[in-house]
């Protein structure tokens, strides 16, 4: 297994929100997280990615292979599309893939400053970095926000035909159908019991 989670409990703002989360994902597979708004999908992803500590349980995967992407595009507005992607390639000491511009429909925008892009174009640019950094374990929080149907398909094609086909894994919180053949995990049954919540009034993270 590339990713193994056992009896995981996690919190948000000092309040337990999920407990007993257990699943395995093999290389080449994805897992879709489902559940109502506020149930803890983002909290789970942040915990899996190591951005906040778990309350209990274990998470087993190669940590040097992980990347987390949320609603932020991670785009430098003063740089061009090409310069943004080259920046990420340099950070991870990797070559800039020749096909990354076509794969995310950025070819005609290569020399455009990121500040002049639409919200959807910025989103495609932000997601294109996932095809540059070469990490095998992706934790994705609503990755298709601001994308039209065509762009959603581009991203789904990248996940299926590039990332997963090359042995990567992905855990994805989304409310839409990405057209990827992957099991779904409903987080409803893992909601923390009222007794576990305590009385903290600490602000949510």
């Amino acid at each position: 297994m590339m990713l193994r989670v056992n009896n995981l409990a996690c919190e948000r703002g000092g309040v337990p929100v999920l407990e007993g989360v257990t699943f395995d994902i093999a290389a080449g597979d994805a897992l879709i997280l489902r559940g109502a708004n506020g149930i803890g999908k983002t909290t789970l992803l942040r915990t899996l990615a190591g951005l906040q500590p778990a309350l209990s349980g274990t998470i087993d995967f190669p940590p040097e292979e992980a990347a987390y992407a949320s609603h932020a595009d991670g785009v430098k507005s003063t740089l061009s599309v090409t310069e943004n992607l080259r920046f990420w390639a340099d950070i991870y000491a990797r070559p800039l893939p020749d096909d990354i511009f076509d794969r995310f429909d950025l070819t005609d925008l290569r020399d455009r400053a990121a500040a002049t892009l639409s919200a959807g174009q910025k989103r495609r640019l932000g997601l294109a970095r996932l095809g540059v950094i070469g990490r095998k374990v992706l934790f994705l929080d609503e990755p298709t926000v601001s994308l039209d149907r065509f762009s959603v398909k581009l991203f789904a094609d990248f996940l299926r035909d590039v990332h997963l086909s090359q042995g990567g894994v992905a855990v994805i919180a989304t409310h839409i159908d990405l057209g990827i053949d992957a099991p779904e995990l409903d987080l409803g049954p893992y909601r923390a019991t009222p007794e576990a919540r305590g009385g903290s009034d600490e602000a949510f993270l």
Side-chain angles (χ1 to χ4, degrees), residues 98-169:
D98 292 334
D99 66 345
I100 198 68
F101 299 95
D102 286 340
R103 190 166 292 282
F104 286 88
D105 194 25
L106 296 170
T107 299
D108 293 339
L109 304 173
R110 293 178 67 134
D111 299 323
R112 284 267 299 274
T116 68
L117 301 178
S118 70
Q121 290 168 338
K122 287 180 181 177
R123 192 62 179 163
R124 293 205 311 273
L125 175 56
L127 291 173
R129 64 183 169 168
L130 298 176
V132 172
I133 63 177
R135 293 297 178 97
K136 288 290 189 180
V137 184
L138 299 182
F139 301 110
L140 306 174
D141 190 3
E142 297 291 351
T144 56
V145 169
S146 300
L147 293 185
D148 57 23
R149 186 175 302 178
F150 172 74
S151 298
V152 170
K153 184 179 183 302
L154 287 179
F155 180 63
D157 289 347
F158 160 75
L159 282 179
R160 181 182 57 251
D161 300 337
V162 179
H163 181 70
L164 298 178
S165 71
Q166 294 177 359
V169 305

Side-chain angles (χ1 to χ4, degrees), residues 36-59:
N37 290 335
I39 198 168
K41 297 185 295 295
T42 294
T43 299
L44 176 58
L45 287 170
R46 286 176 55 83
T47 303
L48 293 174
L51 299 177
Q52 62 187 62
L55 284 175
S56 60
T58 59
I59 307 167

